[in-house]
PDB file of all heavy atoms in Angstrom:
ATOM      1  N   SER A   1      28.281 -13.091 -13.408  1.00 93.00           N
ATOM      2  CA  SER A   1      29.553 -12.437 -13.743  1.00 93.00           C
ATOM      3  C   SER A   1      30.584 -13.485 -14.159  1.00 93.00           C
ATOM      4  O   SER A   1      31.350 -13.292 -15.107  1.00 93.00           O
ATOM      5  CB  SER A   1      30.066 -11.634 -12.542  1.00 93.00           C
ATOM      6  OG  SER A   1      29.176 -10.591 -12.213  1.00 93.00           O
ATOM      7  N   VAL A   2      30.589 -14.619 -13.438  1.00 90.00           N
ATOM      8  CA  VAL A   2      31.497 -15.713 -13.794  1.00 90.00           C
ATOM      9  C   VAL A   2      31.149 -16.263 -15.177  1.00 90.00           C
ATOM     10  O   VAL A   2      32.027 -16.557 -15.994  1.00 90.00           O
ATOM     11  CB  VAL A   2      31.432 -16.830 -12.729  1.00 90.00           C
ATOM     12  CG1 VAL A   2      32.222 -18.063 -13.193  1.00 90.00           C
ATOM     13  CG2 VAL A   2      31.966 -16.325 -11.395  1.00 90.00           C
ATOM     14  N   LEU A   3      29.834 -16.378 -15.450  1.00 89.00           N
ATOM     15  CA  LEU A   3      29.390 -16.910 -16.740  1.00 89.00           C
ATOM     16  C   LEU A   3      29.450 -15.864 -17.861  1.00 89.00           C
ATOM     17  O   LEU A   3      29.244 -16.200 -19.025  1.00 89.00           O
ATOM     18  CB  LEU A   3      27.951 -17.435 -16.617  1.00 89.00           C
ATOM     19  CG  LEU A   3      27.736 -18.605 -15.643  1.00 89.00           C
ATOM     20  CD1 LEU A   3      26.248 -18.943 -15.535  1.00 89.00           C
ATOM     21  CD2 LEU A   3      28.523 -19.830 -16.068  1.00 89.00           C
ATOM     22  N   ARG A   4      29.683 -14.585 -17.474  1.00 90.00           N
ATOM     23  CA  ARG A   4      29.790 -13.469 -18.423  1.00 90.00           C
ATOM     24  C   ARG A   4      28.503 -13.269 -19.240  1.00 90.00           C
ATOM     25  O   ARG A   4      28.528 -13.019 -20.439  1.00 90.00           O
ATOM     26  CB  ARG A   4      30.974 -13.676 -19.369  1.00 90.00           C
ATOM     27  CG  ARG A   4      32.322 -13.679 -18.659  1.00 90.00           C
ATOM     28  CD  ARG A   4      33.468 -13.831 -19.631  1.00 90.00           C
ATOM     29  NE  ARG A   4      34.752 -13.847 -18.927  1.00 90.00           N
ATOM     30  CZ  ARG A   4      35.935 -13.958 -19.545  1.00 90.00           C
ATOM     31  NH1 ARG A   4      35.978 -14.071 -20.875  1.00 90.00           N
ATOM     32  NH2 ARG A   4      37.041 -13.972 -18.836  1.00 90.00           N
ATOM     33  N   ILE A   5      27.394 -13.374 -18.547  1.00 91.00           N
ATOM     34  CA  ILE A   5      26.087 -13.103 -19.162  1.00 91.00           C
ATOM     35  C   ILE A   5      25.659 -11.724 -18.667  1.00 91.00           C
ATOM     36  O   ILE A   5      25.000 -11.584 -17.627  1.00 91.00           O
ATOM     37  CB  ILE A   5      25.070 -14.195 -18.796  1.00 91.00           C
ATOM     38  CG1 ILE A   5      25.599 -15.569 -19.215  1.00 91.00           C
ATOM     39  CG2 ILE A   5      23.721 -13.939 -19.476  1.00 91.00           C
ATOM     40  CD1 ILE A   5      24.712 -16.721 -18.802  1.00 91.00           C
ATOM     41  N   TYR A   6      26.027 -10.704 -19.411  1.00 92.00           N
ATOM     42  CA  TYR A   6      25.903  -9.322 -18.931  1.00 92.00           C
ATOM     43  C   TYR A   6      24.450  -8.852 -18.770  1.00 92.00           C
ATOM     44  O   TYR A   6      24.155  -8.103 -17.823  1.00 92.00           O
ATOM     45  CB  TYR A   6      26.694  -8.398 -19.855  1.00 92.00           C
ATOM     46  CG  TYR A   6      28.173  -8.738 -19.850  1.00 92.00           C
ATOM     47  CD1 TYR A   6      28.753  -9.392 -20.937  1.00 92.00           C
ATOM     48  CD2 TYR A   6      28.966  -8.451 -18.754  1.00 92.00           C
ATOM     49  CE1 TYR A   6      30.102  -9.728 -20.929  1.00 92.00           C
ATOM     50  CE2 TYR A   6      30.321  -8.787 -18.738  1.00 92.00           C
ATOM     51  CZ  TYR A   6      30.884  -9.432 -19.824  1.00 92.00           C
ATOM     52  OH  TYR A   6      32.207  -9.767 -19.799  1.00 92.00           O
ATOM     53  N   PRO A   7      23.528  -9.229 -19.665  1.00 92.00           N
ATOM     54  CA  PRO A   7      22.138  -8.802 -19.421  1.00 92.00           C
ATOM     55  C   PRO A   7      21.600  -9.290 -18.070  1.00 92.00           C
ATOM     56  O   PRO A   7      20.873  -8.553 -17.387  1.00 92.00           O
ATOM     57  CB  PRO A   7      21.368  -9.440 -20.591  1.00 92.00           C
ATOM     58  CG  PRO A   7      22.380  -9.595 -21.662  1.00 92.00           C
ATOM     59  CD  PRO A   7      23.647  -9.917 -20.965  1.00 92.00           C
ATOM     60  N   MET A   8      21.975 -10.525 -17.670  1.00 93.00           N
ATOM     61  CA  MET A   8      21.502 -11.048 -16.389  1.00 93.00           C
ATOM     62  C   MET A   8      22.223 -10.392 -15.209  1.00 93.00           C
ATOM     63  O   MET A   8      21.655 -10.267 -14.120  1.00 93.00           O
ATOM     64  CB  MET A   8      21.688 -12.562 -16.327  1.00 93.00           C
ATOM     65  CG  MET A   8      20.787 -13.339 -17.276  1.00 93.00           C
ATOM     66  SD  MET A   8      19.028 -12.951 -17.062  1.00 93.00           S
ATOM     67  CE  MET A   8      18.747 -13.388 -15.367  1.00 93.00           C
ATOM     68  N   ILE A   9      23.477  -9.956 -15.436  1.00 93.00           N
ATOM     69  CA  ILE A   9      24.180  -9.203 -14.391  1.00 93.00           C
ATOM     70  C   ILE A   9      23.431  -7.910 -14.117  1.00 93.00           C
ATOM     71  O   ILE A   9      23.144  -7.555 -12.960  1.00 93.00           O
ATOM     72  CB  ILE A   9      25.635  -8.899 -14.820  1.00 93.00           C
ATOM     73  CG1 ILE A   9      26.438 -10.201 -14.969  1.00 93.00           C
ATOM     74  CG2 ILE A   9      26.316  -7.979 -13.796  1.00 93.00           C
ATOM     75  CD1 ILE A   9      27.826  -9.992 -15.571  1.00 93.00           C
ATOM     76  N   ILE A  10      23.098  -7.204 -15.211  1.00 94.00           N
ATOM     77  CA  ILE A  10      22.368  -5.925 -15.070  1.00 94.00           C
ATOM     78  C   ILE A  10      20.997  -6.164 -14.439  1.00 94.00           C
ATOM     79  O   ILE A  10      20.559  -5.413 -13.557  1.00 94.00           O
ATOM     80  CB  ILE A  10      22.235  -5.251 -16.446  1.00 94.00           C
ATOM     81  CG1 ILE A  10      23.620  -4.885 -16.986  1.00 94.00           C
ATOM     82  CG2 ILE A  10      21.352  -4.012 -16.345  1.00 94.00           C
ATOM     83  CD1 ILE A  10      23.617  -4.414 -18.415  1.00 94.00           C
ATOM     84  N   PHE A  11      20.327  -7.217 -14.910  1.00 93.00           N
ATOM     85  CA  PHE A  11      18.991  -7.537 -14.373  1.00 93.00           C
ATOM     86  C   PHE A  11      19.060  -7.761 -12.866  1.00 93.00           C
ATOM     87  O   PHE A  11      18.241  -7.231 -12.094  1.00 93.00           O
ATOM     88  CB  PHE A  11      18.446  -8.786 -15.061  1.00 93.00           C
ATOM     89  CG  PHE A  11      16.991  -9.069 -14.764  1.00 93.00           C
ATOM     90  CD1 PHE A  11      16.013  -8.846 -15.711  1.00 93.00           C
ATOM     91  CD2 PHE A  11      16.592  -9.569 -13.522  1.00 93.00           C
ATOM     92  CE1 PHE A  11      14.676  -9.103 -15.444  1.00 93.00           C
ATOM     93  CE2 PHE A  11      15.279  -9.823 -13.233  1.00 93.00           C
ATOM     94  CZ  PHE A  11      14.299  -9.594 -14.210  1.00 93.00           C
ATOM     95  N   ASN A  12      20.009  -8.563 -12.383  1.00 94.00           N
ATOM     96  CA  ASN A  12      20.099  -8.878 -10.962  1.00 94.00           C
ATOM     97  C   ASN A  12      20.555  -7.686 -10.127  1.00 94.00           C
ATOM     98  O   ASN A  12      20.124  -7.541  -8.968  1.00 94.00           O
ATOM     99  CB  ASN A  12      21.043 -10.065 -10.748  1.00 94.00           C
ATOM    100  CG  ASN A  12      20.372 -11.391 -11.050  1.00 94.00           C
ATOM    101  OD1 ASN A  12      19.676 -11.946 -10.221  1.00 94.00           O
ATOM    102  ND2 ASN A  12      20.557 -11.890 -12.274  1.00 94.00           N
ATOM    103  N   ILE A  13      21.413  -6.833 -10.704  1.00 94.00           N
ATOM    104  CA  ILE A  13      21.770  -5.601  -9.986  1.00 94.00           C
ATOM    105  C   ILE A  13      20.524  -4.737  -9.802  1.00 94.00           C
ATOM    106  O   ILE A  13      20.283  -4.172  -8.725  1.00 94.00           O
ATOM    107  CB  ILE A  13      22.871  -4.832 -10.751  1.00 94.00           C
ATOM    108  CG1 ILE A  13      24.196  -5.606 -10.685  1.00 94.00           C
ATOM    109  CG2 ILE A  13      23.049  -3.433 -10.161  1.00 94.00           C
ATOM    110  CD1 ILE A  13      25.298  -5.005 -11.530  1.00 94.00           C
ATOM    111  N   GLY A  14      19.719  -4.648 -10.871  1.00 93.00           N
ATOM    112  CA  GLY A  14      18.460  -3.902 -10.767  1.00 93.00           C
ATOM    113  C   GLY A  14      17.531  -4.504  -9.732  1.00 93.00           C
ATOM    114  O   GLY A  14      16.848  -3.782  -8.980  1.00 93.00           O
ATOM    115  N   SER A  15      17.517  -5.850  -9.663  1.00 92.00           N
ATOM    116  CA  SER A  15      16.674  -6.525  -8.675  1.00 92.00           C
ATOM    117  C   SER A  15      17.128  -6.213  -7.252  1.00 92.00           C
ATOM    118  O   SER A  15      16.310  -5.962  -6.362  1.00 92.00           O
ATOM    119  CB  SER A  15      16.703  -8.037  -8.904  1.00 92.00           C
ATOM    120  OG  SER A  15      16.144  -8.364 -10.165  1.00 92.00           O
ATOM    121  N   VAL A  16      18.456  -6.224  -7.046  1.00 93.00           N
ATOM    122  CA  VAL A  16      18.988  -5.904  -5.716  1.00 93.00           C
ATOM    123  C   VAL A  16      18.594  -4.489  -5.311  1.00 93.00           C
ATOM    124  O   VAL A  16      18.150  -4.257  -4.172  1.00 93.00           O
ATOM    125  CB  VAL A  16      20.528  -6.065  -5.699  1.00 93.00           C
ATOM    126  CG1 VAL A  16      21.105  -5.520  -4.391  1.00 93.00           C
ATOM    127  CG2 VAL A  16      20.914  -7.527  -5.877  1.00 93.00           C
ATOM    128  N   ILE A  17      18.726  -3.542  -6.229  1.00 93.00           N
ATOM    129  CA  ILE A  17      18.345  -2.146  -5.941  1.00 93.00           C
ATOM    130  C   ILE A  17      16.850  -2.061  -5.620  1.00 93.00           C
ATOM    131  O   ILE A  17      16.432  -1.357  -4.693  1.00 93.00           O
ATOM    132  CB  ILE A  17      18.700  -1.237  -7.137  1.00 93.00           C
ATOM    133  CG1 ILE A  17      20.224  -1.182  -7.316  1.00 93.00           C
ATOM    134  CG2 ILE A  17      18.133   0.165  -6.944  1.00 93.00           C
ATOM    135  CD1 ILE A  17      20.662  -0.481  -8.588  1.00 93.00           C
ATOM    136  N   THR A  18      16.048  -2.802  -6.402  1.00 91.00           N
ATOM    137  CA  THR A  18      14.592  -2.802  -6.182  1.00 91.00           C
ATOM    138  C   THR A  18      14.255  -3.334  -4.791  1.00 91.00           C
ATOM    139  O   THR A  18      13.421  -2.755  -4.073  1.00 91.00           O
ATOM    140  CB  THR A  18      13.893  -3.665  -7.249  1.00 91.00           C
ATOM    141  OG1 THR A  18      14.162  -3.132  -8.539  1.00 91.00           O
ATOM    142  CG2 THR A  18      12.387  -3.696  -7.020  1.00 91.00           C
ATOM    143  N   TYR A  19      14.895  -4.418  -4.382  1.00 90.00           N
ATOM    144  CA  TYR A  19      14.592  -5.012  -3.076  1.00 90.00           C
ATOM    145  C   TYR A  19      15.081  -4.141  -1.923  1.00 90.00           C
ATOM    146  O   TYR A  19      14.450  -4.084  -0.860  1.00 90.00           O
ATOM    147  CB  TYR A  19      15.182  -6.415  -2.984  1.00 90.00           C
ATOM    148  CG  TYR A  19      14.393  -7.423  -3.777  1.00 90.00           C
ATOM    149  CD1 TYR A  19      14.990  -8.195  -4.776  1.00 90.00           C
ATOM    150  CD2 TYR A  19      13.034  -7.597  -3.549  1.00 90.00           C
ATOM    151  CE1 TYR A  19      14.260  -9.112  -5.515  1.00 90.00           C
ATOM    152  CE2 TYR A  19      12.303  -8.514  -4.285  1.00 90.00           C
ATOM    153  CZ  TYR A  19      12.910  -9.268  -5.269  1.00 90.00           C
ATOM    154  OH  TYR A  19      12.178 -10.175  -5.992  1.00 90.00           O
ATOM    155  N   LEU A  20      16.206  -3.469  -2.119  1.00 89.00           N
ATOM    156  CA  LEU A  20      16.658  -2.522  -1.096  1.00 89.00           C
ATOM    157  C   LEU A  20      15.647  -1.393  -0.924  1.00 89.00           C
ATOM    158  O   LEU A  20      15.393  -0.922   0.199  1.00 89.00           O
ATOM    159  CB  LEU A  20      18.034  -1.966  -1.458  1.00 89.00           C
ATOM    160  CG  LEU A  20      19.194  -2.981  -1.399  1.00 89.00           C
ATOM    161  CD1 LEU A  20      20.485  -2.331  -1.890  1.00 89.00           C
ATOM    162  CD2 LEU A  20      19.371  -3.526   0.021  1.00 89.00           C
ATOM    163  N   LYS A  21      15.070  -0.970  -2.049  1.00 88.00           N
ATOM    164  CA  LYS A  21      14.026   0.057  -1.994  1.00 88.00           C
ATOM    165  C   LYS A  21      12.784  -0.500  -1.289  1.00 88.00           C
ATOM    166  O   LYS A  21      12.146   0.189  -0.486  1.00 88.00           O
ATOM    167  CB  LYS A  21      13.674   0.505  -3.418  1.00 88.00           C
ATOM    168  CG  LYS A  21      12.563   1.551  -3.483  1.00 88.00           C
ATOM    169  CD  LYS A  21      12.973   2.859  -2.814  1.00 88.00           C
ATOM    170  CE  LYS A  21      11.886   3.910  -2.964  1.00 88.00           C
ATOM    171  NZ  LYS A  21      12.220   5.174  -2.236  1.00 88.00           N
ATOM    172  N   CYS A  22      12.456  -1.765  -1.549  1.00 85.00           N
ATOM    173  CA  CYS A  22      11.316  -2.404  -0.891  1.00 85.00           C
ATOM    174  C   CYS A  22      11.511  -2.465   0.623  1.00 85.00           C
ATOM    175  O   CYS A  22      10.572  -2.242   1.392  1.00 85.00           O
ATOM    176  CB  CYS A  22      11.112  -3.812  -1.444  1.00 85.00           C
ATOM    177  SG  CYS A  22      10.406  -3.873  -3.101  1.00 85.00           S
ATOM    178  N   ILE A  23      12.730  -2.772   1.042  1.00 83.00           N
ATOM    179  CA  ILE A  23      13.027  -2.828   2.473  1.00 83.00           C
ATOM    180  C   ILE A  23      12.796  -1.467   3.120  1.00 83.00           C
ATOM    181  O   ILE A  23      12.252  -1.362   4.225  1.00 83.00           O
ATOM    182  CB  ILE A  23      14.481  -3.310   2.701  1.00 83.00           C
ATOM    183  CG1 ILE A  23      14.608  -4.782   2.293  1.00 83.00           C
ATOM    184  CG2 ILE A  23      14.893  -3.120   4.158  1.00 83.00           C
ATOM    185  CD1 ILE A  23      16.034  -5.285   2.253  1.00 83.00           C
ATOM    186  N   SER A  24      13.194  -0.407   2.414  1.00 82.00           N
ATOM    187  CA  SER A  24      12.964   0.956   2.916  1.00 82.00           C
ATOM    188  C   SER A  24      11.470   1.261   3.004  1.00 82.00           C
ATOM    189  O   SER A  24      10.998   1.860   3.979  1.00 82.00           O
ATOM    190  CB  SER A  24      13.650   1.965   2.004  1.00 82.00           C
ATOM    191  OG  SER A  24      13.395   3.285   2.429  1.00 82.00           O
ATOM    192  N   ILE A  25      10.717   0.817   1.991  1.00 81.00           N
ATOM    193  CA  ILE A  25       9.270   1.039   1.996  1.00 81.00           C
ATOM    194  C   ILE A  25       8.626   0.291   3.160  1.00 81.00           C
ATOM    195  O   ILE A  25       7.756   0.808   3.859  1.00 81.00           O
ATOM    196  CB  ILE A  25       8.644   0.582   0.654  1.00 81.00           C
ATOM    197  CG1 ILE A  25       9.110   1.497  -0.482  1.00 81.00           C
ATOM    198  CG2 ILE A  25       7.118   0.591   0.736  1.00 81.00           C
ATOM    199  CD1 ILE A  25       8.697   1.023  -1.858  1.00 81.00           C
ATOM    200  N   ILE A  26       9.050  -0.943   3.379  1.00 78.00           N
ATOM    201  CA  ILE A  26       8.495  -1.745   4.475  1.00 78.00           C
ATOM    202  C   ILE A  26       8.778  -1.077   5.821  1.00 78.00           C
ATOM    203  O   ILE A  26       7.926  -1.034   6.708  1.00 78.00           O
ATOM    204  CB  ILE A  26       9.092  -3.164   4.458  1.00 78.00           C
ATOM    205  CG1 ILE A  26       8.638  -3.909   3.209  1.00 78.00           C
ATOM    206  CG2 ILE A  26       8.688  -3.945   5.708  1.00 78.00           C
ATOM    207  CD1 ILE A  26       9.382  -5.205   2.971  1.00 78.00           C
ATOM    208  N   LYS A  27       9.970  -0.537   5.970  1.00 74.00           N
ATOM    209  CA  LYS A  27      10.381   0.065   7.242  1.00 74.00           C
ATOM    210  C   LYS A  27       9.521   1.262   7.600  1.00 74.00           C
ATOM    211  O   LYS A  27       9.125   1.434   8.761  1.00 74.00           O
ATOM    212  CB  LYS A  27      11.851   0.470   7.167  1.00 74.00           C
ATOM    213  CG  LYS A  27      12.394   1.037   8.475  1.00 74.00           C
ATOM    214  CD  LYS A  27      13.877   1.351   8.354  1.00 74.00           C
ATOM    215  CE  LYS A  27      14.428   1.902   9.668  1.00 74.00           C
ATOM    216  NZ  LYS A  27      15.878   2.216   9.568  1.00 74.00           N
ATOM    217  N   TYR A  28       9.207   2.097   6.616  1.00 71.00           N
ATOM    218  CA  TYR A  28       8.508   3.353   6.911  1.00 71.00           C
ATOM    219  C   TYR A  28       7.051   3.355   6.465  1.00 71.00           C
ATOM    220  O   TYR A  28       6.322   4.295   6.757  1.00 71.00           O
ATOM    221  CB  TYR A  28       9.239   4.518   6.242  1.00 71.00           C
ATOM    222  CG  TYR A  28      10.644   4.705   6.743  1.00 71.00           C
ATOM    223  CD1 TYR A  28      11.733   4.316   5.967  1.00 71.00           C
ATOM    224  CD2 TYR A  28      10.882   5.224   8.009  1.00 71.00           C
ATOM    225  CE1 TYR A  28      13.044   4.469   6.430  1.00 71.00           C
ATOM    226  CE2 TYR A  28      12.183   5.378   8.479  1.00 71.00           C
ATOM    227  CZ  TYR A  28      13.254   5.000   7.685  1.00 71.00           C
ATOM    228  OH  TYR A  28      14.541   5.145   8.144  1.00 71.00           O
ATOM    229  N   GLY A  29       6.612   2.310   5.740  1.00 62.00           N
ATOM    230  CA  GLY A  29       5.252   2.286   5.223  1.00 62.00           C
ATOM    231  C   GLY A  29       4.300   1.505   6.106  1.00 62.00           C
ATOM    232  O   GLY A  29       4.634   1.062   7.202  1.00 62.00           O
ATOM    233  N   TYR A  30       3.084   1.328   5.600  1.00 57.00           N
ATOM    234  CA  TYR A  30       2.045   0.607   6.325  1.00 57.00           C
ATOM    235  C   TYR A  30       1.489  -0.511   5.458  1.00 57.00           C
ATOM    236  O   TYR A  30       2.133  -0.944   4.506  1.00 57.00           O
ATOM    237  CB  TYR A  30       0.937   1.569   6.768  1.00 57.00           C
ATOM    238  CG  TYR A  30       1.426   2.535   7.812  1.00 57.00           C
ATOM    239  CD1 TYR A  30       1.916   3.783   7.447  1.00 57.00           C
ATOM    240  CD2 TYR A  30       1.426   2.184   9.159  1.00 57.00           C
ATOM    241  CE1 TYR A  30       2.397   4.666   8.402  1.00 57.00           C
ATOM    242  CE2 TYR A  30       1.911   3.058  10.126  1.00 57.00           C
ATOM    243  CZ  TYR A  30       2.382   4.298   9.737  1.00 57.00           C
ATOM    244  OH  TYR A  30       2.858   5.160  10.678  1.00 57.00           O
ATOM    245  N   GLU A  31       0.249  -0.975   5.740  1.00 59.00           N
ATOM    246  CA  GLU A  31      -0.266  -2.168   5.084  1.00 59.00           C
ATOM    247  C   GLU A  31      -0.269  -2.068   3.565  1.00 59.00           C
ATOM    248  O   GLU A  31       0.099  -3.017   2.871  1.00 59.00           O
ATOM    249  CB  GLU A  31      -1.698  -2.472   5.578  1.00 59.00           C
ATOM    250  CG  GLU A  31      -1.783  -2.885   7.024  1.00 59.00           C
ATOM    251  CD  GLU A  31      -2.013  -1.715   7.953  1.00 59.00           C
ATOM    252  OE1 GLU A  31      -1.738  -0.573   7.567  1.00 59.00           O
ATOM    253  OE2 GLU A  31      -2.480  -1.953   9.074  1.00 59.00           O
ATOM    254  N   LYS A  32      -0.721  -0.935   3.020  1.00 68.00           N
ATOM    255  CA  LYS A  32      -0.807  -0.795   1.567  1.00 68.00           C
ATOM    256  C   LYS A  32       0.573  -0.922   0.919  1.00 68.00           C
ATOM    257  O   LYS A  32       0.724  -1.508  -0.147  1.00 68.00           O
ATOM    258  CB  LYS A  32      -1.448   0.540   1.199  1.00 68.00           C
ATOM    259  CG  LYS A  32      -2.932   0.626   1.543  1.00 68.00           C
ATOM    260  CD  LYS A  32      -3.532   1.954   1.107  1.00 68.00           C
ATOM    261  CE  LYS A  32      -5.013   2.005   1.428  1.00 68.00           C
ATOM    262  NZ  LYS A  32      -5.618   3.299   1.023  1.00 68.00           N
TER     263      LYS A  32
END
């Protein structure tokens, strides 16, 4: 955001959302 590289801002926001979803999967899921 400081560097004003908007594609990477969007990419990292998407990554954060993805990892939050992963945390939810880990919490309620199993080995697979």
Side-chain angles (χ1 to χ4, degrees):
S1 297
V2 172
L3 297 175
R4 296 182 181 181
I5 303 176
Y6 298 106
M8 292 305 301
I9 296 172
I10 296 171
F11 190 106
N12 281 277
I13 291 174
S15 296
V16 171
I17 294 171
T18 300
Y19 285 123
L20 292 175
K21 178 64 177 176
C22 286
I23 291 170
S24 177
I25 292 172
I26 294 169
K27 183 177 181 180
Y28 298 105
Y30 292 93
E31 293 92 340
K32 291 182 179 179

